[in-house]
Amino acid sequence: MTRTNITVRLSDDALALACGADAVAAAFEAHGAKVERVSSWGMHWLEPLAEIDGRGYGPLSPQDVSAVLGGKAGVLDIGMIADHPFLKAQTRLTFARAGKTRPLNLDDYAATDGWKGLEAARKSGPDKTIETVLDSGLRGRGGAGFPAGIKWRTVADTSADQKYIVCNADEGDSATFADRMVMEGDPYMLIEGMAIAGLAVGASKGYVYIRSEYPHAIAKVRAAIDRAAAIIAPFELEVRVGAGSYVCGEETALLNSLEGKRGVVRAKPPLPAHEGLFGKPTVINNVLTLAAIPWIMMHGAKAYADFGMGRSRGTMPIQLAGNIRHGGLYETAFGITLGELVNDIGGGTATGRPVKAVQVGGPLGAYLPPEQFDIPFDYEAFTAKQALIGHAGITVFDDTADMSAMARFAFEFCEVESCGKCTPCRIGATRGRETLDKVAQGKDAAANLSLVLDLCETMEFGSLCAMGGFTPYPARSAIRHWPEDFTTSKVKEAAE
Amino acid sequence: MSEALEDILKRHELCEGPLLPILHDVQNTFGYVSDYHMRMIAAGLNITRAEVWGVVSFYHDFRTEPAGKPVLKLCRAEACKARGVEALVEGAEKAAGSRVRIEPVYCLGLCSGGPAAMTPQGDVHARLDSEKLNQLIGSLS
Ligand SMILES: Cc1cc2nc3c(=O)[nH]c(=O)nc-3n(C[C@H](O)[C@H](O)[C@H](O)COP(=O)(O)O)c2cc1C
Ligand code: FES
């Protein structure tokens, strides 16, 4: 018998939509069910994932709907969602509402501790708020890991007639989608975090700079700002849309872009905290940095700092992507190892083949072989291995990956996206790609490979920003760990 | 000046740093940013044409000529490569022919479910294989 009068909860996150969630929603409605659109749980391999009275069904296609409603879902029935091992082992502070609330519903937000952080900040005042952020140990989640509290303190201490809060929502790194999930799934949390930042440093205006590749996030954040305007007043927020430039994620390029200029990197100093947007003191933080603030203000600095290891405090929303069986969002305290993430939680590759490499930290991050899977998720531990956490995206590759092609792509990407201001990055990227092409063709392979390594050094130490400065990381790590991909087979192929 | 363009400029009169929002609106309205548009924007904002051109030419999103056909953005970034997008490219080009343009994009934030693509309307598609991708290309008009 088909049940009616039931409520089905389905995500309207872009990943769910891309996997056909709208058609599944329509099928449920056609069967007389009421459909509520919520945020995504972040178990992406199960999307579209429907929830009925706490039970999960996925991944669904429209044809599965009658079986689900008829109680014959079979393997698509994943049991109670909250008990799913992928979720149970997580520590969700930033993603506490994921899967549970309707993204734009203000009642849902208020009922799940929404605006409590802002209330706390209003009560304790700017000084105490900054102190709390400092003591929490929160470091910037955009890549560089700079302590958020110090940045805020600097802006607070700089006097000016106008200050700004800028949210870096450019999320250009491949394998990252946590910013997108916050904006699409819990936009009020980001807005609350920005309002707290405004209050703390004395800024009355904020901008959210969102990449144009994220139309769903743009729409959600715009709608959320409209609805929350009275709550965050006198603080004002506006969305600005990027225009397809990766380097505009670099903070000074982003500021230039907001000002209506070419997205060229600025030399530092002056720091944006002193002279940022339109020359005014500016806090620029990543989405996840700002989104962590409400929780910290509500629960206190110590509660946050109690999670983590070393100088990496709190939790990190890690993104499992690429050729991985259980891809999605995994928020956990710092300290978890790469191996646990890839093999235990991620379930290895989606293709079932052995893991060959993982790239951590997006296009500027190093490739790591399984031999390094004991490395803990910690800023300093990664730096020690000439790798970076970046925005905590992990891309898994199976043994069919050609690492010389990936090294070449690192240069190619830099060539396409370099802002062109400094020579090592602008010219180095092109020369790096050309020289690797020669290696692949077997032309003087050994000499050319050492030329590439030499070039990497020039780019690393001579570039103005991490675009040229970190492009050597993926290239060099690929050469170091998989030298065979750069020699024998390639040379043999060329000879045939 | 065309009324639509005048409207766009007027809408951004109070905006700080209005050039990118204006260019987005122009491209959304007219499909591209023409030489004429650039001249009018420069006059409206009291900046030089060179400055406007500098900005238009810097960003991948802005085109100075009509696309002439639907553009499908196919993600070619690392996570989609790891999930096999490169093997789909040749077939996609063939299916697209001269009717659809396939452009690379570097990440759509769907990296756990690639290969991924976005249509001109902003609809997103994931878990593409050659059959689904060809079907998607065929559906564009
Ligand atoms: C080429 C390049 C791209 C970057 N892209 C981003 C990005 O997409 N999102 C982001 O938050 N930070 C990005 N960053 C880092 C920013 O420059 C900056 O460190 C960050 O916005 C500071 O915020 P946080 O302290 O909260 O991390 C990028 C840096 C470089 C060099
Ligand atoms: S890498 Fe293709 S969507 Fe992110």
Side-chain angles (χ1 to χ4, degrees), chain A residues 91-277:
Chain A
T91 303
R92 287 196 159 177
L93 310 184
T94 300
F95 281 84
R97 292 185 194 85
K100 298 175 186 164
T101 55
R102 291 165 290 182
L104 289 174
N105 190 299
L106 279 167
D107 295 334
D108 282 11
Y109 188 66
T112 48
D113 292 333
W115 311 117
K116 292 234 172 93
L118 181 56
E119 260 167 53
R122 281 178 175 152
K123 221 173 277 163
S124 49
D127 248 10
K128 276 239 172 77
T129 299
I130 294 176
E131 216 175 280
T132 304
V133 175
L134 265 172
D135 293 345
S136 74
L138 176 68
R139 292 167 71 173
R141 301 292 188 236
F146 188 81
I150 295 179
K151 198 181 275 188
W152 289 24
R153 172 69 75 204
T154 311
V155 175
D157 288 347
T158 308
S159 54
D161 54 343
Q162 171 81 60
K163 298 178 187 179
Y164 294 101
I165 308 296
V166 172
C167 171
N168 188 339
D170 200 49
E171 194 162 67
D173 290 359
S174 167
T176 64
F177 41 76
D179 294 353
R180 181 183 65 66
M181 287 183 67
V182 166
M183 291 188 281
E184 291 177 1
D186 202 354
Y188 296 126
M189 174 174 55
L190 174 61
I191 290 170
E192 185 178 354
M194 291 185 74
I196 294 169
L199 185 146
V201 306
S204 58
K205 171 105 201 179
Y207 288 98
V208 189
Y209 184 95
I210 310 178
R211 63 203 304 257
S212 61
E213 292 85 348
Y214 281 2
H216 304 87
I218 292 165
K220 282 262 182 61
V221 176
R222 282 205 165 125
I225 288 173
D226 278 350
R227 292 175 196 205
I231 300 171
I232 59 167
F235 188 65
E236 282 179 16
L237 271 178
E238 194 180 322
V239 169
R240 285 295 172 87
V241 180
S245 157
Y246 174 79
V247 79
C248 282
E250 194 283 333
E251 55 187 9
T252 60
L254 189 152
L255 295 175
N256 276 337
S257 184
L258 268 176
E259 291 180 11
K261 300 179 184 149
R262 290 164 70 90
V264 173
V265 172
R266 299 177 184 172
K268 287 189 258 189
L271 294 171
H274 291 130
E275 288 177 38
L277 187 59

Side-chain angles (χ1 to χ4, degrees), chain B residues 70 99-100 120-121 137-141:
Chain B
R99 210 179 49 79
V100 170
Q121 291 74 37
I137 292 166
S139 73
L140 296 178
S141 57

